[in-house]
Amino acid sequence: MKKFFVMAMLSAFVALGACAQETDLQLTADQKAKLQAYQQELDEYDKQLSQFEAEAKSSPEKINEIRPKAMEAYSKKLTKELQIVRENSDNLIPVLYIDDVIYMLDYDDLKAVCNPANAYYQHPSMDKARTMLAKMEKRAPGKMFTDMTIKDIDGKDRKLSEWIGHGQYVMIDFWASWCGPCRQEMPNVVANYAKYHEKGFEIIGISFDQKAEAWKSAVGQLGMTWPQLSDLGGWKSSAADVYGISSIPASILIDGQGKIVAIDLRGSKLGDKLKEIYGF
């Protein structure tokens, strides 16, 4: 299973470079020259990813060695594509890369990309980004949280307001047992919960699982000792609609009065924000 996942991942990475060659845009000579320079740099990352894919096929026992190298190359490619988008708000070059980068953007960055003043804003390739921003607006920082009822791990109906709005910071953590990035991030979440829970920090896990046994097993395996909720609806979970969740892991940090203060805090960003709040 792990081998299949890595091979699929690498194949997907390699496929990302083709759109710039297939899309006919009305660009000036200077813009075409700029695009060619950009694409030459991105092609180098594609070559690396192709090499990693070939290596994974010929040496499946080296998957664990190949994966981090592939992820690093892919991350660098996405970072470059995001730079390209930001540098070209006055032309259509960004439409070639928007779909690649939108999943790495936080709310403020996505809002900047979806600025109606951008030359590419009305292009059809922006449909996914605009849809994603509309979903993010449901959990935008500054808004009050939306209460909802969902079953806990024992099958009992619970309301988010049982925990939220009572003076302490609460993070809603959207995840699933089948989500690889969620599982990778979970040790970071567990560590921050252990550090700050005694100071009042709480987490509410909302799983997008469909199988109760897999959900409950993962809760134990990953050491998630905070309240766990799920309607076992998968992507059709009521929580996905209420909070506009279209990818996981995702999270919403809510202050003691019930106001959303941050979303999608992962990696060091979560610890940095909690340190800012609690002072250590």
Side-chain angles (χ1 to χ4, degrees), residues 36-235:
Q36 184 176 13
Y38 286 146
Q39 198 55 42
Q40 286 176 349
E41 184 174 349
L42 292 171
D43 285 346
E44 288 302 311
Y45 290 121
D46 283 334
K47 287 180 182 178
Q48 292 180 42
L49 291 166
S50 293
Q51 291 171 359
F52 291 137
E53 182 183 27
E55 188 176 353
K57 286 180 178 178
S58 61
S59 303
E61 71 279 1
K62 298 177 68 177
I63 290 295
N64 289 333
E65 177 185 339
I66 295 167
R67 185 191 296 109
K69 295 178 182 178
M71 291 298 295
E72 181 181 7
Y74 183 54
S75 178
K76 287 180 178 179
K77 181 181 179 183
L78 285 181
T79 299
K80 181 61 182 181
E81 289 180 334
L82 181 56
Q83 177 189 339
I84 293 169
V85 170
R86 288 171 170 164
E87 289 177 350
N88 292 278
S89 61
D90 62 344
N91 63 69
L92 295 180
I93 288 177
V95 306
L96 301 171
Y97 309 106
I98 288 292
D99 279 358
D100 287 358
V101 304
I102 56 176
Y103 292 103
M104 67 184 292
L105 301 179
D106 62 21
Y107 173 72
D108 289 334
D109 286 337
L110 184 58
K111 194 171 183 178
V113 165
C114 293
N115 185 341
N118 294 339
Y120 55 83
Y121 178 75
Q122 295 294 345
H123 194 277
S125 69
M126 286 293 295
D127 288 350
K128 188 183 294 184
R130 289 192 294 263
T131 297
M132 184 175 291
L133 180 62
K135 289 183 177 181
M136 274 195 179
E137 293 284 3
K138 293 184 177 183
R139 59 185 191 278
K143 289 191 172 183
M144 297 300 290
F145 88 103
T146 301
D147 202 6
M148 60 177 295
T149 300
I150 188 168
K151 292 187 182 299
D152 66 13
I153 206 161
D154 297 317
K156 180 182 177 181
D157 284 340
R158 308 295 295 268
K159 287 183 175 291
L160 296 182
S161 55
E162 293 178 41
W163 297 277
I164 299 173
H166 302 290
Q168 73 271 25
Y169 279 82
V170 178
M171 185 175 79
I172 306 176
D173 181 48
F174 301 92
W175 71 290
S177 67
W178 46 260
C179 169
C182 299
R183 298 182 77 107
Q184 291 170 11
E185 175 65 13
M186 205 55 68
N188 178 53
V189 180
V190 169
N192 279 286
Y193 186 73
K195 184 175 182 179
Y196 294 106
H197 180 57
E198 288 188 357
K199 296 297 182 180
F201 177 56
E202 187 58 273
I203 299 176
I204 303 169
I206 296 185
S207 170
F208 285 5
D209 275 280
Q210 292 181 288
K211 297 180 179 179
E213 192 170 314
W215 168 40
K216 294 177 181 180
S217 176
V219 169
Q221 291 171 0
L222 297 171
M224 304 161 71
T225 58
W226 48 87
Q228 293 290 334
L229 310 175
S230 181
D231 56 16
L232 298 177
W235 285 114

